[in-house]
Each structure stands twice: as structure tokens, then as C-alpha cells.
Amino acid sequence: MSHVLVIDQNKHPLDPIHPGRARYLLTADHAAVYRRYPFTLIMKETQPEGTPHPLRVKIDPGSQTTGVALVNDATGEVVWAAELRHRGEQVRVNLADRHTSRRSRRRRHTRYRQPRFLNRTRPTGWLPPSLVSRVQNVVTWVERLRRYAPIGAISYEFVRFDTQLIEQPDITGIEYQQGTLAGWEAREYLLLKWGYRCAYCHKEATRWEVDHILPRSRGGSNRVKNLALACHACNQEKGDRTAEEYGHPEVQAEAGKPLKDAAAVNSTRWGLYNRLKQMGLPIETGTGGRTKWNRTTRQIPKTHWLDATCVGASTPEQVRGKKIRPLLIRATGQQCRQMQNMDKYGFPVGSPKAATRVGGFRTGDMVRAIVPAGRATSGTHVGRVLVRASKQFDIRTATDRIPNVHARYCHPLHRQDGYAYAHGKGAALPPHA
Ligand SMILES: [Zn+2]
């Protein structure tokens, strides 16, 4: 199970504890709930002196979902895990909407505007807003975890493959899609180089075979310059021929061209790396090839958080953890900056945005509302609140929406923090000796 994070009276992180121990501390009134997501307790009594055991936060960044895991290097135990869903696409759509409405507004007002020309610059390291949002999601969560858990190091999947390793000529076992680390790095290189397509028929396949352009039987080497990605059918058909004899001289030419380093590290990963480095923790960088190799050799199933667990050379020989259910975190954004809603023609609809904070609540806060008997909404409701200036709130529970609950019946559970939460299904780690 995922452990429960604990902080002491001075809000310094302590060793995360087993959920059973957390239950005991709560019932015996030694601790109180400090925060729901991530679930964190605060001790009510002073603790004996002692330094907590440092944990490693491991990150596998993805374009849609980033895996996060807290791992104890000494014991190999996965202490806590999460999967963070980004909202890059939503950011892009919002900006495109804004662009359209501004454009149409400018067209309606026909005052002459001097053209602006070549007066915009982008600072070095500029990233588009949709990617900035991804970077900031991860930074936010690493900073949050640092507040509630004793984190001593960061592991980060930085590049797709190791340029040095794939240049070593002897890549044995690559044909069997298993084997050595160098083999996995080379596979990652080939996937990127050939764009996940068969070099011969350009189809996207599900199972890849590594094709030797000059066959092994005729003295072809295992260097990446002699390798191409092929589907099973093409690989069989080509058989003992070279790519040229098979009618594809272009594959031979393409394989010889080096892949630029930039292709292995994209700009988002650079951006995130630079932000993580500023935190002042030691950072270990890993490759995509090594993550897959670590996962395969340890017979660990593929999920985002388990990929994160397998990032980097520091991955323990035996990864332990029972019934770990990752926290599913979805970025929702903080709030809308638009002051006035519009119809599809750009005309204002309704009244401009009123106060965002009503009776101490903001839209999106998680509350428990206890409405006394005799009212239309009587009962206990737990959910997210939608505030109105009239103090009559709506509460969106897991199943439905309760209208007109007065602010005086609402008790805050978790303040809106730009993320939605759920608990994911656990994945079984292989048994160990
Ligand atoms: Zn093919």
C-alpha cells in the first residue's frame, strides 16, 4: 500500500508510515489530518530526535501523463506513487479561443491600427504555454512532495537513448528484444530514428523486429548504422538479402545518417531539467532505454508510475511494494481569467465575473456539507463546491449535483489547488525471495 506522509509539529517531513500505523495515530489522537491530497498527517506531540531516511523522487515525464514514484533506495521499497495527467491540449484550445475572439473584436472596431512588425522576441529557453504548463505541473508536485516527505535526490528520465552506449559495436541479444542495456538503448534509438514505422513498407506495426541491413549471415555488424526497424512480414520477406537487393537502397542511405542529439532530448525535457536542477537536490538522469531495460529485467508491468520507479541507474535490484495504488492527479487549472462570458458571436452573456471567494469558499473547494433535517437538501454531502455571491452553493458529489446548499452548512475538506484526484488500480509487483 502507498504509505502515509507525516510531518512533525514544526512541519518538517518525517518517515512515511504504514496506513495501519496512521489509523492508530489518528484514533489515539496522536496526529491529525493535515492534507488530503497527498494524504498527510501532522503529529500532535514532539517526536524523539532522529533524521528521517532520505527518499528518492523518480520522474518519468510524458506528453500526456507523467509518472511519479517515491522510492527508498536502501530497501528498494516504493513508498508512494502517482500519475499526473497534464492539460497541455486544454491550454492550447483556450489560447486559440482567446485568439479568435480578440481577432473578431479587432475586426469589428475599425479604427486604424499601425501594423506591428518584427517587434516581438522570445527569450532563450522559451517554451509554448501548453508545454510550460506540463513543466510547471511536475515542478509543483516535486515541491509539494518535498514539503511532506524527506526527499534526498531526484531521478529524471531525461533522454531517449544513450548516444555513447549505442556507438559500441557489440550489441548482442537485440534480435530477441531483450538482452543488454546497450540493446535497449539501440532499440530506443531505432524507434526514434525510423519514427515507429517499418523502414520498408512504412506501416506502423505493434511488434518490431530489428533488421540487419547487411545480414548477419553475410558479415553484417550490430552497429546501429547497419540496423533498421522492420515489421515481421518485411523482415521475413527480405530474408538473406541486403536492403539494396531487396529494392530499398534508400534505407541503406538513411541508416548511415546520424540522428541529431536534439532528437533525443526535446525542449520540454530540457526545460523541466533546468527547473529541477534549481531545487538544489542531486539529480540523476536516466535514458528511456534504461527505464525499459530495468523494467523488463525485473519483470515489472508497464504503467506510468512503475516506469518512473525504473528510471535511472540507481533503481534497486529488487523493487518492493505491496498493493500500491497510485494517486491519479489530473491538472484542471486554477481558475478562468476571463471576466465576462461570451456567446459564439463574441457578445457578452450574463454579468461580469463576481467575487471568487464567498463565505471563505472558492469554486472547486472540496467540502462536507451537513444540512439539518427539514430542508430540501437535508443530509450529508461530500463534493466540490460551486460558489455564488448569494451564498447558495451547488455541490457536485461523486454521483449528482445538490443545488442551493447554504455556505453555513459547508466545512472545508481540501482547498481547490488546480488538480482533481482519484485513486488508481494497483499493479502487482513480481514476488521476490
Ligand atoms: Zn514492413
Side-chain angles (χ1 to χ4, degrees):
M1 267 188 252
S2 286
H3 279 42
V4 175
L5 310 181
V6 193
I7 53 177
D8 68 13
Q9 279 182 317
N10 302 319
K11 298 184 183 171
H12 295 309
L14 299 171
D15 281 328
I17 53 174
H18 188 273
R21 170 108 186 116
R23 259 192 306 277
Y24 164 74
L25 289 176
L26 283 172
T27 43
D29 209 25
H30 294 318
V33 176
Y34 184 72
R35 198 188 159 92
R36 298 225 146 200
Y37 302 101
F39 195 64
T40 309
L41 299 188
I42 184 164
M43 298 303 294
K44 290 185 173 178
E45 291 147 22
T46 42
Q47 291 293 296
E49 296 260 322
T51 40
H53 301 86
L55 300 173
R56 179 180 285 277
V57 60
K58 308 188 88 174
I59 303 161
D60 172 32
S63 60
Q64 309 266 327
T65 307
T66 291
V68 182
L70 282 186
V71 179
N72 186 335
D73 282 343
T75 62
E77 194 173 12
V78 183
V79 171
W80 186 88
E83 293 186 359
L84 176 56
R85 274 262 304 281
H86 301 296
R87 61 190 289 269
E89 179 59 18
Q90 189 57 48
V91 170
R92 196 190 61 74
V93 169
N94 287 353
L95 288 177
D97 276 357
R98 187 182 74 179
H99 172 89
T100 327
S101 51
R102 281 186 176 173
R103 172 116 313 184
S104 77
R105 189 161 64 226
R106 289 198 184 115
R107 207 163 282 152
R108 289 199 304 275
H109 293 248
T110 50
R111 165 177 77 83
Y112 175 73
R113 293 166 81 102
Q114 214 170 26
R116 298 208 277 177
F117 176 67
L118 279 183
N119 64 350
R120 288 155 206 223
T121 54
R122 281 174 180 173
T124 48
W126 179 89
L127 286 175
S130 56
L131 303 189
V132 168
S133 124
R134 239 153 78 186
V135 169
Q136 287 178 342
N137 288 164
V138 178
V139 171
T140 299
W141 273 91
V142 174
E143 277 172 354
R144 268 185 201 172
L145 288 174
R146 264 189 96 179
R147 245 176 275 151
Y148 310 125
I151 287 170
I154 300 176
S155 289
Y156 174 52
E157 190 185 299
F158 185 37
V159 286
R160 294 289 300 272
F161 56 86
D162 186 329
T163 334
Q164 308 249 296
L165 263 178
I166 62 160
E167 282 311 317
Q168 287 172 12
D170 183 37
I171 296 171
T172 43
I174 184 167
E175 304 87 307
Y176 303 106
Q177 321 212 332
Q178 289 264 338
T180 62
L181 174 61
W184 278 96
E185 300 279 11
R187 247 174 79 78
E188 205 60 23
Y189 169 87
L190 291 174
L191 286 172
L192 204 64
K193 166 113 191 173
W194 298 100
Y196 293 83
R197 279 164 196 281
C198 171
Y200 300 103
C201 67
H202 305 294
K203 273 191 199 140
E204 283 188 54
T206 43
R207 280 190 76 85
W208 295 113
E209 292 186 5
V210 174
D211 172 59
H212 289 78
I213 293 167
L214 174 64
R216 293 281 300 282
S217 55
R218 291 164 61 177
S221 80
N222 271 329
R223 301 194 70 142
V224 287
K225 277 179 188 159
N226 190 41
L227 300 176
L229 211 56
C231 66
H232 180 73
C234 289
N235 203 7
Q236 288 287 309
E237 201 186 313
K238 177 171 170 279
D240 205 18
R241 290 178 282 177
T242 68
E244 199 162 357
E245 288 165 3
Y246 182 48
H248 289 277
E250 81 284 356
V251 172
Q252 205 136 10
E254 183 62 37
K257 288 183 202 160
L259 184 63
K260 283 196 191 104
D261 263 3
V265 190
N266 62 35
S267 47
T268 324
R269 290 192 186 201
W270 262 116
L272 184 50
Y273 176 75
N274 288 331
R275 290 293 300 274
L276 293 174
K277 216 168 62 179
Q278 285 168 11
M279 291 187 184
L281 289 171
I283 296 191
E284 168 198 51
T285 56
T287 65
R290 183 186 279 275
T291 303
K292 286 185 188 170
W293 182 71
N294 279 344
R295 186 162 53 71
T296 317
T297 51
R298 288 167 181 75
Q299 296 175 348
I300 294 173
K302 178 168 174 55
T303 65
H304 292 290
W305 68 271
L306 281 170
D307 261 344
T309 306
C310 294
V311 167
S314 69
T315 306
E317 221 23 75
Q318 286 239 312
V319 176
R320 304 192 304 123
K322 259 189 193 167
K323 294 190 207 157
I324 293 196
R325 292 176 66 194
L327 179 64
L328 304 183
I329 307 167
R330 184 166 55 84
T332 56
Q334 292 283 355
Q335 65 176 351
C336 184
R337 281 181 60 182
Q338 194 172 341
M339 293 305 290
Q340 171 77 58
N341 288 331
M342 295 182 300
D343 66 9
K344 62 176 174 175
Y345 306 107
F347 287 99
V349 170
S351 47
K353 188 184 325 194
T356 48
R357 202 171 282 279
V358 181
F361 293 97
R362 251 177 85 184
T363 295
D365 284 352
M366 247 179 253
V367 299
R368 175 182 286 124
I370 305 164
V371 185
R375 284 175 174 75
T377 55
S378 59
T380 302
H381 315 289
V382 175
R384 298 234 181 208
V385 80
L386 180 145
V387 303
R388 289 204 190 83
S390 63
K391 290 201 175 176
Q392 295 289 340
F393 299 167
D394 280 12
I395 295 177
R396 205 177 60 237
T397 66
T399 48
D400 51 353
R401 186 167 170 155
I402 319 289
N404 300 327
V405 176
H406 197 275
R408 80 171 76 95
Y409 303 131
C410 297
H411 307 278
L413 291 179
H414 186 84
R415 295 290 183 186
Q416 193 277 113
D417 60 357
Y419 295 90
Y421 302 97
H423 287 282
K425 270 195 198 158
L429 286 167
H432 50 87

